[in-house]
């Protein structure tokens, strides 16, 4: 995946303000509000998860149902964007108001320790809170959808047929401000207890990466 070029509206501050919702409660040393770190994780991630309450799908006790849906995130300037069918439940509920929680996760390696307790994962993640805006200006909508194609395959947006009016109408794009968000990162070797260091057990990191396979041409 490639990084998205910042637009003039991107923030100039080095870090976002910490809020009650974005303060790292556990393992706070892994938390970060650094804008560059947050942007880089969003730019690399192929998938995010959108959490929201669906008030139109009440549970047996009459409460709104919590829903989490995976989708592709991309970034233009200081906004995280998602898209979907205009008729989809997620799009319709998010357009109607209410806060959502967006989570983005990248796994960099299994951390194998000498004790079961200290096994861990090297990861980079972002949690973002906010209410999205509907991207309804046609020029902007086409531009940000091109940015999605560019994230998937750089240089491709200029080569393929652009969306026609019907396809554009059938697709909704929502933009979340990257203003209330935090990152969390773990890296490095296992953190074994001193008394376990002499155990005859292999310890270290097994790197994990997302690798593109050999393209399979569509000959249809």
């Amino acid at each position: 995946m490639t990084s998205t070029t910042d637009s003039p509206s991107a923030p100039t501050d080095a870090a976002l303000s910490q809020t009650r919702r974005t303060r790292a409660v556990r393992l706070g040393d892994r938390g970060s509000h650094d804008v560059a770190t947050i942007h880089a994780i969003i730019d690399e991630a192929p998938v995010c998860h959108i959490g929201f309450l669906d008030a139109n799908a009440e549970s047996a006790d009459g409460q709104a149902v919590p829903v989490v849906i995976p989708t592709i995130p991309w970034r233009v300037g200081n906004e995280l964007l998602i898209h979907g069918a205009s008729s989809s439940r997620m799009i319709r509920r998010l357009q109607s108001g209410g806060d959502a929680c967006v989570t983005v996760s990248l796994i960099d390696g299994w951390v194998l320790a000498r004790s079961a307790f200290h096994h861990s994962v090297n990861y980079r993640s972002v949690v973002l809170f906010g209410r999205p805006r509907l991207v309804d200006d046609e020029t902007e909508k086409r531009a940000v959808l091109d940015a999605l194609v560019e994230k998937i395959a750089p240089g491709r947006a200029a080569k393929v047929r652009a969306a026609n009016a019907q396809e554009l109408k059938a697709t909704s794009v929502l933009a979340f401000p990257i203003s209330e968000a935090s990152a969390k990162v773990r890296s490095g070797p296992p953190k074994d207890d001193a008394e376990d260091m002499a155990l005859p057990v292999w310890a270290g990191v097994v790197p994990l990466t997302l690798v593109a396979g050999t393209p399979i041409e569509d000959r249809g």
Side-chain angles (χ1 to χ4, degrees):
M1 298 297 180
T2 59
S3 295
T4 303
T5 302
D6 286 330
S7 73
S9 61
T12 56
D13 294 338
L16 300 178
S17 297
Q18 179 177 282
T19 71
R20 180 179 56 83
R21 296 193 294 189
T22 64
R23 179 175 63 87
V25 177
R26 185 175 180 277
L27 300 174
D29 58 319
R30 298 182 185 177
S32 171
H33 293 83
D34 178 69
V35 170
T37 299
I38 292 169
H39 283 186
I41 294 170
I42 294 170
D43 290 346
E44 185 175 343
V47 175
C48 72
H49 290 81
I50 314 293
F52 59 96
L53 289 175
D54 187 353
N56 290 347
E58 292 184 353
S59 62
D61 59 0
Q63 300 298 311
V65 175
V67 179
V68 178
I69 294 179
T71 189
I72 303 171
W74 75 103
R75 182 179 65 85
V76 174
N78 195 39
E79 292 183 311
L80 180 153
L81 296 111
I82 63 170
H83 80 304
S86 299
S87 60
S88 76
R89 172 172 64 169
M90 177 179 70
I91 295 294
R92 287 187 284 112
R93 299 297 180 267
L94 291 175
Q95 279 184 235
S96 66
D99 282 359
C101 178
V102 183
T103 61
V104 182
S105 302
L106 297 167
I107 303 299
D108 296 320
W110 296 121
V111 181
L112 307 184
R114 294 166 180 84
S115 68
F117 180 80
H118 286 297
H119 279 61
S120 189
V121 176
N122 282 343
Y123 66 91
R124 290 164 288 152
S125 65
V126 167
V127 175
L128 179 153
F129 298 94
R131 297 183 181 185
R133 69 178 180 91
L134 177 67
V135 179
D136 52 6
D137 176 80
E138 181 176 341
T139 300
E140 182 189 10
K141 189 175 182 180
R142 288 186 179 277
V144 297
L145 287 172
D146 281 350
L148 169 59
V149 175
E150 287 298 296
K151 174 172 180 171
I152 297 170
R156 191 166 179 81
K159 299 176 182 178
V160 298
R161 176 182 66 78
N164 59 37
Q166 182 178 352
E167 291 167 338
L168 204 63
K169 182 179 180 181
T171 305
S172 288
V173 178
L174 301 179
F176 288 87
I178 306 174
S179 55
E180 188 178 6
S182 61
K184 209 168 186 181
V185 176
R186 192 219 187 268
S187 61
K191 302 183 185 302
D192 275 306
D193 297 328
E195 59 269 26
D196 293 331
M197 294 301 290
L199 291 174
V201 179
W202 187 91
V205 176
V206 179
L208 298 173
T209 57
L210 182 66
V211 178
T214 302
I216 303 171
E217 184 178 357
D218 177 15
R219 297 183 180 275

